[in-house]
Amino acid sequence: MLTDPITTIKGAGERVAEDLAALRIFTVEDLLYYFPYRYDVLEIKPISELIHEDKVTIEGRVLYEPSVTYYGKRKSRLTFTVETEGIAVKAVMFNRAFAKKQIKANAVVTLTGKWDAHRLQITVSNYKIGTMEKETEINPIYSLRGNLTNMKIKKLIRTALDQYGSMIEEFLPEQYLLEYKIPSRLKALETMHFPPSRAALKHARRRFTYEELLLFQLKMQLIRKRNREQTAGNAHRYDVEKVKQFIQSFPFSLTSAQSRSLHEILRDLRSPYRMNRLLQGDVGSGKTAVAAISLYAAVTAGKQGALMVPTEILAEQHYESLKNMFKDRAEIALLTGSIKGKKRKEILDRLLRQEIDIVIGTHALIQEEVFFHDLGLVIVDEQHRFGVDQRRALRDKGLHPDVLFMTATPIPRTLAITAFGDMDVSTIDEMPKGRKQVETYWAKENMFERVLKMIEKHVALGEQAYIICPLIEESDKLDIQNAVDLHQQLVQFFPPTINVGLMHGRLKQEEKEQVMSQFANNEIHVLVSTTVVEVGVNVPNATIMVVYDAERFGLSQLHQLRGRVGRGEKQSYCILIADPKGETGKERMRIMTETTNGFELSEQDLKLRGPGDFFGKKQSGLPEFKVADLVHDYRALETARKDAAEIVENRLLDNDSDFQLLKKRLEKDPALMDTLD
Ligand code: ADP
Ligand code: MG
């Protein structure tokens, strides 16, 4: 069986098995699916076409036997000369003195390595006695551990394929194989390890990409279906008229993207299924308005609503703006960590008696003593700032409440449908009309003084500015010192009429609040800050955002920061101070100056940083694929998603005999227990 332990393969003894275990290879199947992490493509080209410093392959005849020199501790250099196309090429090989025995004068050798066009020299990383068998040779390269060699792994896989190949079952229904011209599982496996040609390898990879993505999409969609059907939610019968009137009371009309998202949410509220939805939209796209209307709908259905945000300042700000919008339509309360004692107890009592309709708060909302009378709708803002457990804790305060997550970090579509495949996604991809775009500039460090002069001018006109210093770790002393020093410098630089404030993570909560409220009241004109978080507030009078060492931020973060300005009537500016060394850094700065669309930026960010980095290390929610690549395999992902939807919708796993092996394969996944019958 494919699940046999690896030691059933000839050549895999205890010691080999130990090394394989370090690579998480325990069974025959694990080994067969241990794919190379890259391929070396050997292709012989004429010397005149070789590019300096490229990895190249040449074929030649050995002119002189190698000589070996030793140096340092057990280090050696082996040199010899080969003749190719009538030219003498010098070959150098490090720490492989043993090769001297194999490389004899007059022998024909194939050498692969880095080419030095000036010296006509190759630094050999791989050699082979004899010529290449084919014009192009594709050699798989595996990650290794312990005493394993690439050769050994190849041998083991060959043996495994010979011993077990006949047991490898095709589980993709034939219609897909035909439609997408996908090679069978066995053939594709062989090709991954022993590629006969570039084209064959491409098709094999295509197969596994599709297979992985289809299985994953099926899993997500099955889970979504189960959650909807098996955990009955509430069919909220909200008051359509009242909701309409509420919307009409706004000083603006909703954008069509807002309306569309709102309808998707209201439809979920009405349905007996439990809502599990992500609302994404750029900073300032009007998510709060949509959230407020949704909360109101729940209230008119006789339920309570909760809005959880990551910081106290944000909670207060949302509280104020919601109170403003609602007037006396609903009873709204604020619950944060700094609300204590009698006041807190009173809020808890009133929540329990449903004298409060909507509560806005921080983590304080998920403490044990918080009880609702009938919580119908939970909204989590900036959802990525909360852990999975925290999000669940809030949801568990009600009986199957509907849940809406909001994020202002636009997530590239590929990641959204992967990481959030078990959620429905609504997107506000349109800004309210009449917004002025923030003008963005990239300045070198030596232009900082000119930037400060510009700030001085705008402050004289009554405007305000942020200056952000990067903060990598909340506890990073050095970074805080940066901000403290910069603050000092600016106090000296600006005339005394300009008040420079300082904000960083080491300040006490009260201190932060005080700085923030002084800034909001224009008592502080220029705010130096390390903390991105605490500036997540609305100060429409601030028109300049300067980001120091901007190359240390990702594109999405920079975009978030930029979203702090451009909130009022006046033209706003974002100035990125950076001297990036590498091309990627420069490219990032250029993209920022050219693009103000958060979704476009997030796609670019994904391309530049890769999916792992995009979400940061802490929580990615992304599955690890062996072959599929979320950046490049976008079309395959769409196809897999569409096919998965069709399979789930038409219940093909239950009704179609062609889908039984696929079903069997899915049943192996513990997350799908109780989902398939
Ligand atoms: P987000 O939460 O997505 O960052 P907000 O809901 O805070 O955005 O909206 C930003 C600002 O735009 C608020 O001042 C809000 O009143 C305003 N706004 C929201 N929707 C509209 C709209 N459709 N037309 C005009 N202004 C709007
Ligand atoms: Mg918001």
Side-chain angles (χ1 to χ4, degrees):
M1 280 200 319
L2 291 171
T3 48
D4 285 348
I6 194 75
T7 44
T8 56
I9 293 174
K10 269 188 240 119
E14 285 302 321
R15 288 201 34 205
V16 171
E18 247 171 60
D19 288 339
L20 289 172
L23 292 167
R24 311 201 55 75
I25 299 171
F26 305 103
T27 66
V28 175
E29 189 165 26
D30 294 340
L31 179 68
L32 289 174
Y33 283 86
Y34 188 64
F35 292 146
Y37 72 93
R38 68 179 176 86
Y39 296 85
D40 255 354
V41 180
L42 308 186
E43 207 165 13
I44 293 177
K45 286 189 188 146
I47 296 268
S48 58
E49 284 179 24
L50 301 183
I51 295 169
H52 182 57
E53 305 230 297
D54 256 14
K55 191 168 183 182
V56 302
T57 300
I58 59 171
E59 211 176 78
R61 194 173 53 86
V62 178
L63 286 180
Y64 308 108
E65 289 213 1
S67 63
V68 181
T69 51
Y70 290 89
Y71 63 101
K73 258 191 197 163
R74 283 196 271 160
K75 286 187 179 159
S76 70
R77 182 196 291 114
L78 180 146
T79 48
F80 57 100
T81 312
V82 295
E83 179 268 308
T84 177
E85 302 171 40
I87 299 169
V89 170
K90 192 172 169 196
V92 184
M93 224 189 289
F94 289 99
N95 305 326
R96 274 191 278 182
F98 57 84
K100 185 172 159 65
K101 283 196 219 106
Q102 297 169 321
I103 301 171
K104 297 271 192 281
N106 279 322
V108 172
V109 289
T110 307
L111 307 172
T112 300
K114 193 163 151 186
W115 179 241
D116 183 333
H118 308 311
R119 298 194 208 171
L120 293 180
Q121 177 174 311
I122 182 167
T123 305
V124 178
S125 53
N126 255 311
Y127 70 96
K128 182 177 147 182
I129 309 296
T131 56
M132 287 202 329
E133 279 141 36
K134 288 174 294 181
E135 240 166 75
T136 313
E137 224 176 88
I138 306 174
N139 289 323
I141 309 291
Y142 299 89
S143 301
L144 305 168
R145 288 289 187 290
N147 292 322
L148 287 171
T149 61
N150 210 54
M151 188 66 105
K152 178 75 186 172
I153 295 215
K154 267 173 87 167
K155 244 186 181 154
L156 289 171
I157 291 175
R158 183 71 263 165
T159 316
L161 276 169
D162 294 343
Q163 262 177 266
Y164 289 87
S166 60
M167 293 179 200
I168 292 166
E169 266 180 336
E170 180 57 72
F171 59 70
L172 290 181
E174 201 178 351
Q175 63 184 78
Y176 297 128
L177 299 186
L178 293 176
E179 187 178 346
Y180 305 132
K181 299 195 173 57
I182 287 176
S184 77
R185 204 171 162 72
L186 176 60
K187 178 147 180 245
L189 260 181
E190 280 210 83
T191 304
M192 290 299 281
H193 297 293
F194 305 95
S197 68
R198 276 201 174 106
L201 182 58
K202 199 176 112 190
H203 291 307
R205 296 184 60 106
R206 217 159 46 78
R207 186 216 145 91
F208 287 112
T209 299
Y210 177 74
E211 176 186 313
E212 280 184 323
L213 295 173
L214 181 72
L215 287 174
F216 182 74
Q217 285 297 323
L218 272 171
K219 172 175 165 177
M220 295 306 253
Q221 298 195 23
L222 286 166
I223 289 176
R224 179 164 80 180
K225 187 167 180 227
R226 174 183 64 189
N227 289 347
R228 275 177 165 260
E229 288 177 358
Q230 297 187 352
T231 44
N234 305 291
H236 297 292
R237 242 164 293 152
Y238 60 85
D239 189 324
V240 180
E241 264 322 297
K242 278 187 175 168
V243 172
K244 264 192 198 151
Q245 282 166 14
F246 183 44
I247 296 171
Q248 275 158 11
S249 76
F250 292 177
F252 49 77
S253 49
L254 297 180
T255 63
S256 55
Q258 278 173 314
S259 297
R260 192 183 56 231
S261 300
L262 180 65
H263 277 115
E264 287 163 358
I265 294 164
L266 291 179
R267 194 183 55 212
D268 281 355
L269 287 182
R270 261 196 318 270
S271 83
Y273 301 137
R274 203 177 70 194
M275 174 166 75
N276 187 32
R277 184 173 285 280
L278 180 73
L279 175 62
Q280 58 170 345
D282 231 329
V283 188
S285 62
K287 293 184 296 298
T288 310
V290 173
I293 300 164
S294 313
L295 286 166
Y296 184 57
V299 170
T300 66
K303 300 280 177 178
Q304 288 172 292
L307 171 61
M308 183 161 76
V309 301
T311 66
E312 299 219 346
I313 296 170
L314 266 177
E316 277 164 26
Q317 199 150 60
H318 272 111
Y319 173 65
E320 291 302 331
S321 62
L322 257 65
K323 265 200 352 196
N324 230 335
M325 288 166 124
F326 275 90
K327 308 272 175 341
D328 48 13
R329 284 187 173 83
E331 191 59 31
I332 302 179
L334 177 71
L335 185 61
T336 62
S338 48
I339 294 171
K340 297 188 180 107
K342 248 174 82 181
K343 206 165 162 210
R344 179 176 134 90
K345 184 156 184 321
E346 189 199 319
I347 291 173
L348 295 186
D349 287 347
R350 294 177 61 223
L351 260 181
L352 188 55
R353 291 201 297 268
Q354 204 171 1
E355 287 165 23
I356 291 169
D357 300 309
I358 296 169
V359 64
I360 295 153
T362 53
H363 300 83
L365 288 179
I366 51 177
Q367 282 163 348
E368 265 179 51
E369 316 84 70
V370 181
F371 293 101
F372 291 79
H373 179 76
D374 190 0
L375 180 60
L377 175 62
V378 165
I379 302 183
V380 181
D381 195 12
E382 301 300 323
Q383 58 92 23
H384 57 280
R385 303 268 322 268
F386 294 98
V388 176
D389 294 341
Q390 292 171 320
R391 287 180 257 169
R392 185 178 308 128
L394 182 58
R395 198 177 67 205
D396 288 346
K397 299 264 174 208
L399 188 69
H400 307 313
D402 285 313
V403 184
L404 180 70
F405 298 106
M406 301 203 291
T407 182
T409 310
I411 297 153
R413 191 169 154 70
T414 40
L415 294 194
I417 61 184
T418 313
F420 305 116
D422 59 339
M423 288 189 198
D424 297 296
V425 179
S426 294
T427 303
I428 306 185
D429 51 6
E430 174 189 358
M431 285 296 202
K433 277 190 209 66
R435 285 281 166 82
K436 283 208 178 72
Q437 297 218 324
V438 178
E439 284 180 25
T440 305
Y441 301 97
W442 166 24
K444 299 275 170 69
E445 166 104 46
N446 60 20
M447 290 159 78
F448 192 46
E449 217 171 293
R450 278 170 61 188
V451 174
L452 294 180
K453 283 283 174 207
M454 169 186 169
I455 293 178
E456 201 176 324
K457 227 176 65 195
H458 281 267
V459 171
L461 295 171
E463 300 166 26
Q464 290 167 275
Y466 295 96
I467 302 182
I468 304 293
C469 290
L471 178 80
I472 304 302
E473 290 289 335
E474 198 76 27
S475 60
D476 199 328
K477 276 192 203 136
L478 245 170
D479 285 331
I480 288 174
Q481 198 51 47
N482 279 343
V484 173
D485 289 349
L486 185 61
H487 175 251
Q488 276 305 318
Q489 239 174 296
L490 296 190
V491 168
Q492 306 211 326
F493 181 89
F494 287 126
T497 45
I498 296 187
N499 206 352
V500 187
L502 174 65
M503 165 90 93
H504 58 69
R506 286 287 175 87
L507 294 182
K508 289 206 195 72
Q509 193 58 36
E510 297 102 70
E511 293 171 314
K512 284 187 204 165
E513 310 262 331
Q514 201 193 349
V515 172
M516 229 27 251
S517 79
Q518 284 177 332
F519 189 61
N521 296 330
N522 201 2
E523 292 156 25
I524 287 174
H525 308 109
V526 177
L527 180 63
V528 177
S529 174
T530 57
T531 28
V532 179
V533 185
E534 268 72 20
V535 294
V537 288
N538 197 13
V539 181
N541 193 49
T543 55
I544 301 179
M545 167 60 68
V546 178
V547 185
Y548 211 78
D549 284 340
E551 73 271 19
R552 287 171 70 185
F553 293 96
L555 283 178
S556 297
Q557 273 175 301
L558 288 174
H559 182 61
Q560 284 291 312
L561 287 172
R562 179 165 61 187
R564 298 292 136 223
V565 295
R567 302 186 144 234
E569 306 286 303
K570 293 182 192 147
Q571 178 60 52
S572 289
Y573 306 89
C574 174
I575 296 151
L576 308 169
I577 313 260
D579 293 292
K581 304 247 151 35
E583 264 316 303
T584 330
K586 287 179 189 153
E587 180 67 16
R588 291 226 305 259
M589 294 306 124
R590 271 195 293 271
I591 293 171
M592 278 302 294
T593 60
E594 285 162 10
T595 317
T596 50
N597 179 316
F599 284 94
E600 223 177 289
L601 278 170
S602 74
E603 299 283 352
Q604 300 276 10
D605 209 12
L606 176 63
K607 274 188 203 134
L608 291 176
R609 291 203 291 170
D613 283 348
F614 186 84
F615 281 112
K617 275 174 232 122
K618 263 190 240 145
Q619 56 98 239
S620 77
L622 285 177
E624 281 194 25
F625 294 122
K626 285 185 170 188
V627 181
D629 169 340
L630 292 174
V631 181
H632 297 108
D633 297 326
Y634 174 71
R635 280 190 24 219
L637 181 60
E638 286 288 353
T639 306
R641 181 170 135 95
K642 180 180 72 56
D643 291 342
E646 230 169 74
I647 293 170
V648 172
E649 201 157 302
N650 299 331
R651 310 189 68 95
L652 296 179
L653 295 176
D654 296 327
N655 302 335
D656 194 321
S657 57
D658 287 350
F659 286 74
Q660 291 321 297
L661 287 171
L662 180 58
K663 182 175 175 181
K664 230 173 81 189
R665 178 67 182 67
L666 286 162
E667 276 165 352
K668 287 190 197 161
D669 192 322
L672 291 176
M673 261 194 348
D674 322 323
T675 303
L676 298 156
D677 40 35

